[in-house]
Amino acid sequence: MSIIISLVGIVVVLLLAYLVSNNKKQIKFKPIIIMLVLQVVLTFIFLNTGIGLFIIEGISALFTKLLEYAASGINFVFGGIANPKEMPFFLNVLLPIVFISALIGIAQHIRLLPIIIKYLGLVLSKINGLGKLESYNAVASAIFGQSEVFISVKKQLGHLPDHRLYTLCTSAMSTVSASILGAYMTMIDPKYVIVALVLNLLGGFIIVNIINPYDVVDSEDFIEVQEGEKQTFFEMLGEYIMDGFKVAIIVGAMLIGFVALIAAINDLFSIIFGISFQTMLGYVFAPFAFIIGVPAAEIVQAGTIMATKLVSNEFVAMLDLSKMTELSDRTTGIISVFLVSFANFSSIGIITGAVKGLHEQKGNVVARFGLKLLYGATLVSFLSAAIVGLLI
């Protein structure tokens, strides 16, 4: 029965994308079907085979070791401050971002990352029915993050038509940056972080192929990557370390604000309506939780977490999920995958600001399709969650 519900959920997600399609007649069904099959096959391999388990355990062990390295630096600076009775979230979850950011900078400096991004993008462009730039951008977004990725394609922003810009922005919002993967893995099961990363990459192509179908002519199908200023190794290292620290501080500040605001709103709703704001949202999202495979007895709790992620961010929702230890493994897996993306209201402002800072006119274009952008990215999260619901 759960398999049938998840299949229905996948169909519903695709129909919701179809309803807002810019050009229903131009939808390319062949790449959509190929990528759906790839999603199912890859999810099955990761979650249900020895090879998949070996890969996930290997990646998880790598990030565990990286977090241990990061902890040695954190303990040197902050040792003795942490309250032994509580997990110091800022120290254990956010500050390791600084070390991961430094590693990304090194890989970028020695030209390893550009090669991986370029050739992986070229392979994907043969599958997804989109252009090389769209494929590059999706892979680069999963490395650099939803705002930083636009710097690398700055030279082409002013020449991009609106429909291609929408695809780039949807990819950026549907993925997550590599620098915070370790943080996620301390909050939810690492295997679901890895699976979500792969599914969201393909899911983004599927949804934009339905919502925003188009053809790219050969003369426009090229990638012109913006090269940064030539830096010495230690100049680069200092910049990436500071960038990582800024991300940690920004995420920490947003968590303080959102958690406090949600607590205040919850109390206000409880006083006025006798039900908390998050619980009310849980009832609104409960039908969506059901169609992606969450057991009926847990759909309100799952819906609450999904809604929390949409109105605040994935960190707040992951914190809430970690407290709900009574949820079944199935529900925890489905919701974990749903949470691994930047699809929330605040991301509209982040992406709009990033593009506007590079090209004001294009930034205004992004602002105009902001809600449709969030709609598409959220459907990607639902699709990934439904695929996992099919196979766990």
Side-chain angles (χ1 to χ4, degrees):
M1 185 63 183
S2 60
I3 293 176
I4 295 174
I5 292 173
S6 293
L7 285 172
V8 170
I10 293 169
V11 173
V12 169
V13 170
L14 298 179
L15 284 175
L16 288 172
Y18 182 80
L19 288 174
V20 299
S21 176
N22 297 336
N23 189 343
K24 295 179 175 63
K25 294 181 179 178
Q26 202 173 350
I27 294 174
K28 303 169 187 174
F29 291 100
K30 182 179 177 180
I32 291 171
I33 293 170
I34 291 173
M35 287 185 287
L36 276 171
V37 171
L38 270 176
Q39 281 190 309
V40 173
V41 170
L42 289 172
T43 303
F44 179 81
I45 291 173
F46 280 132
L47 297 181
N48 296 288
T49 68
I51 294 174
L53 183 63
F54 176 78
I55 293 171
I56 285 176
E57 286 179 345
I59 297 173
S60 178
L62 171 63
F63 273 94
T64 299
K65 183 58 68 175
L66 293 179
L67 292 175
E68 287 177 7
Y69 294 145
S72 62
I74 295 167
N75 290 335
F76 179 79
V77 177
F78 292 102
I81 292 178
N83 182 349
K85 295 181 181 179
E86 294 185 20
M87 183 188 80
F89 184 86
F90 183 75
L91 302 186
N92 288 2
V93 177
L94 297 185
L95 281 187
I97 292 173
V98 177
F99 178 62
I100 303 298
S101 179
L103 292 181
I104 291 173
I106 294 171
Q108 172 78 352
H109 188 76
I110 64 176
R111 310 305 299 164
L112 176 62
L113 270 186
I115 292 172
I116 294 173
I117 292 169
K118 178 182 177 181
Y119 288 102
L120 186 53
L122 287 174
V123 170
L124 287 173
S125 68
K126 304 296 183 183
I127 299 171
N128 60 30
L130 297 167
K132 294 185 180 72
L133 177 63
E134 287 84 347
S135 300
Y136 160 85
N137 183 81
V139 180
S141 294
I143 302 295
F144 301 130
Q146 63 179 338
S147 54
E148 293 84 351
V149 68
F150 292 103
I151 298 173
S152 69
V153 294
K154 177 182 177 180
K155 292 182 179 180
Q156 284 177 263
L157 275 181
H159 307 290
L160 285 176
D162 294 355
H163 55 269
R164 295 190 75 185
L165 184 60
Y166 176 86
T167 296
L168 265 59
C169 292
T170 302
S171 292
M173 191 183 283
S174 300
T175 55
V176 293
S177 61
S179 63
I180 60 175
L181 288 182
Y184 291 158
M185 289 181 183
T186 64
M187 302 170 73
I188 60 177
D189 193 324
K191 70 180 179 183
Y192 294 123
V193 178
I194 297 163
V195 169
L197 196 66
V198 175
L199 290 181
N200 288 348
L201 187 66
L202 293 170
F205 295 139
I206 292 170
I207 296 300
V208 297
N209 260 312
I210 298 173
I211 291 180
N212 186 43
Y214 57 85
D215 292 311
V216 179
V217 297
D218 291 338
S219 60
E220 297 177 347
D221 194 15
F222 63 94
I223 306 169
E224 190 175 1
V225 177
Q226 174 77 19
E227 296 287 347
E229 294 182 9
K230 196 68 177 177
Q231 293 177 305
T232 66
F233 177 82
F234 289 103
E235 284 177 329
M236 172 280 302
L237 192 59
E239 180 181 314
Y240 272 85
I241 287 172
M242 288 306 299
D243 285 344
F245 187 70
K246 288 174 187 175
V247 170
I249 294 295
I250 291 169
V251 172
M254 290 181 68
L255 282 172
I256 291 170
F258 276 118
V259 171
L261 188 60
I262 289 174
I265 294 173
N266 278 338
D267 275 354
L268 184 62
F269 268 68
S270 295
I271 293 169
I272 297 174
F273 303 108
I275 185 174
S276 73
F277 176 67
Q278 284 180 285
T279 303
M280 183 191 71
L281 288 178
Y283 284 104
V284 174
F285 272 74
F288 297 101
F290 181 74
I291 65 169
I292 60 174
V294 173
E298 299 175 328
I299 57 175
V300 174
Q301 291 168 292
T304 299
I305 299 170
M306 292 160 63
T308 299
K309 185 242 185 174
L310 185 65
V311 300
S312 57
N313 59 48
E314 71 281 5
F315 278 102
V316 179
M318 286 178 186
L319 282 172
D320 285 350
L321 178 61
S322 65
K323 296 172 185 175
M324 294 186 179
T325 54
E326 73 280 5
L327 293 179
S328 65
D329 291 343
R330 177 176 177 80
T331 296
T332 301
I334 292 171
I335 299 305
S336 293
V337 169
F338 178 86
L339 297 182
V340 182
S341 85
F342 289 142
N344 57 63
F345 281 102
S346 61
S347 287
I348 299 176
I350 293 171
I351 291 178
T352 300
V355 176
K356 199 177 184 71
L358 300 170
H359 195 286
E360 185 169 354
Q361 182 184 356
K362 292 302 180 182
N364 292 334
V365 171
V366 175
R368 285 198 295 272
F369 61 55
L371 287 177
K372 191 171 185 179
L373 171 61
L374 178 59
Y375 180 82
T378 302
L379 288 182
V380 174
S381 294
F382 275 121
L383 180 61
S384 297
I387 294 287
V388 168
L390 190 66
L391 294 166
I392 62 173

